[in-house]
Amino acid sequence: PVGVAFVKATFNNTIVAITDPSGQVIAWSSAGKSGYSGSRKSSAFAATVAAQDAAKIAIAQGVKEVEVNLRGPGAGREPAVRGLMSSGL
């Protein structure tokens, strides 16, 4: 029921990976995987959508709570955390 969410926010993309405590990836998503391309991948809204997509998959696997690790200087840092929270994690 507990996992770790890694958010890597670069200037070009935002990648969200949710793992179990030992580091095995349960779910992942990125702004590019969510259908955004070009400069829209680096937007805050695309980061929110990517985080919600990864959270939806992780919740289906039984994850209820996550610890969030943020990396990178991109615009998707805080919106990704809000997306995880709005999905129920």
Side-chain angles (χ1 to χ4, degrees):
V2 178
V4 181
F6 293 93
V7 178
K8 182 177 180 185
T10 66
F11 290 119
N12 294 319
N13 204 355
T14 302
I15 302 168
V16 180
I18 300 175
T19 69
D20 62 8
S22 65
Q24 300 291 326
V25 176
I26 297 170
W28 73 276
S29 186
S30 69
K33 181 182 175 191
S34 298
Y36 294 95
S37 62
S39 62
R40 292 184 296 162
K41 282 196 307 186
S42 61
S43 69
F45 182 73
T48 303
V49 171
Q52 289 173 343
D53 184 35
K56 192 182 306 180
I57 297 167
I59 289 171
Q61 296 289 329
V63 177
K64 294 186 172 104
E65 184 178 329
V66 293
E67 172 187 329
V68 179
N69 290 338
L70 296 173
R71 291 186 180 205
R77 288 172 60 105
E78 297 303 317
V81 175
R82 279 189 245 122
L84 290 170
M85 288 173 43
S86 71
S87 296
L89 292 178

